[in-house]
Amino acid sequence: MSAPRQWFDKDLDELNQEILKMGGIIEQQIYDAVESLISKDLGLAETVINRDDQVDELQQIIEDKCIRLVIRQQPMAKDMRAVFAGIKLVTDLERISDTAVNISRIAKRIIDEQYIKPLIDIPRMAKVAQDIVRVALDSFVRRNINMAESLFNMEEEIDHLYAQIFRELLVIMMENPKTISQATQLLMVARHLERIGDHSTNIGEMVVYLETGKRIKLND
């Protein structure tokens, strides 16, 4: 292996480690955001919101590294696509972080209210959301098409749980209009978790494109 190739692979590996670090923080944000809702933990909600700055900083670091990698190494076409895919990936990750922040803000808004129903399916959604982010990142770092394609089933599970939550909350609102305000907030939580599935499948689609040159839609 030539020296330039070795340097490029080393830089790319460092880039992937930064991406995994960012992803790890975001997985924890998802968990903590929903936990703050379940346990009515104001401090935990604030922690999620405050970590958004750390995520934004990592996004900037990764994007800067991608740009320097292109300028310094002048990679071949396929490697160039991989670097710019990294920039797009961290954009999706940053938006996932935003969804966790939004859930924490909802938790803060309804923290003093008695919940209109036990929170059962929202934590289940959050667990799948954490898993799909982790699998999406692993598929990108490993360039593993099978892992990328497995995101489709995980995203379908998230969609199924979202539809179930929507139906249950709709019935509650119809039976008691006084629940509409809180039910709407809980629906927004479920919607934010559903969006995590969409962003994660975007990452999977990038993996398939990088490895095969084919553009597919995992969430059709």
Side-chain angles (χ1 to χ4, degrees):
M1 183 182 295
S2 66
R5 183 73 228 183
Q6 287 178 326
W7 295 333
F8 178 83
D9 288 343
K10 180 177 178 295
D11 287 346
L12 195 60
D13 182 63
E14 290 176 359
L15 183 65
N16 286 337
Q17 293 307 311
E18 293 285 358
I19 288 171
L20 289 175
K21 179 181 178 182
M22 184 177 177
I25 293 170
I26 291 167
E27 283 182 55
Q28 190 65 45
Q29 276 187 303
I30 297 167
Y31 175 85
D32 289 344
V34 174
E35 182 60 28
S36 74
L37 180 71
I38 296 167
S39 60
K40 298 188 175 184
D41 188 330
L42 179 61
L44 192 57
E46 291 285 5
T47 296
V48 175
I49 294 167
N50 292 336
R51 292 200 84 180
D52 190 49
D53 289 340
Q54 186 180 2
V55 171
D56 290 344
E57 182 180 352
L58 271 172
Q59 179 185 12
Q60 188 63 58
I61 289 170
I62 292 167
E63 289 176 348
D64 289 346
K65 283 189 174 182
C66 287
I67 293 169
R68 288 199 302 271
L69 192 56
V70 170
I71 294 171
R72 190 169 61 241
Q73 302 290 1
Q74 298 181 346
M76 302 294 287
K78 184 177 180 179
D79 292 329
M80 183 82 79
R81 288 199 302 270
V83 173
F84 283 110
I87 294 176
K88 187 175 184 302
L89 179 147
V90 294
T91 299
D92 278 301
L93 286 181
E94 192 275 333
R95 289 173 180 168
I96 292 172
S97 174
D98 287 344
T99 66
V101 169
N102 290 335
I103 291 169
S104 295
R105 287 176 175 153
I106 292 170
K108 288 177 64 177
R109 283 199 290 271
I110 64 175
I111 205 164
D112 294 324
E113 300 177 17
Q114 181 177 350
Y115 290 153
I116 57 177
K117 68 180 293 291
L119 301 183
I120 298 171
D121 290 326
I122 283 177
R124 288 173 62 195
M125 272 190 88
K127 176 62 170 64
V128 182
Q130 286 177 268
D131 290 343
I132 199 172
V133 171
R134 183 170 60 255
V135 173
L137 288 172
D138 284 348
S139 72
F140 180 82
V141 170
R142 301 179 186 182
R143 301 294 191 267
N144 189 308
I145 295 176
N146 290 334
M147 291 179 71
E149 291 177 341
S150 75
L151 298 170
F152 172 77
N153 290 332
M154 300 176 77
E155 202 255 351
E156 277 201 329
E157 185 178 357
I158 290 176
D159 287 348
H160 173 76
L161 287 166
Y162 174 71
Q164 186 170 308
I165 292 167
F166 183 89
R167 287 193 300 268
E168 289 178 355
L169 290 174
L170 185 61
V171 169
I172 291 171
M173 286 188 285
M174 291 173 65
E175 291 177 346
N176 184 1
K178 291 181 180 179
T179 65
I180 290 175
S181 176
Q182 187 187 122
T184 301
Q185 297 297 311
L186 293 175
L187 275 174
M188 288 173 62
V189 170
R191 177 58 177 161
H192 286 312
L193 291 171
E194 191 270 340
R195 288 296 295 151
I196 291 173
D198 294 338
H199 288 301
S200 297
T201 55
N202 287 345
I203 296 169
E205 290 163 12
M206 280 192 290
V207 174
V208 174
Y209 174 69
L210 285 172
E211 292 302 296
T212 69
K214 295 178 181 177
R215 297 185 182 275
I216 63 168
K217 295 297 291 181
L218 292 174
N219 56 2
D220 276 354

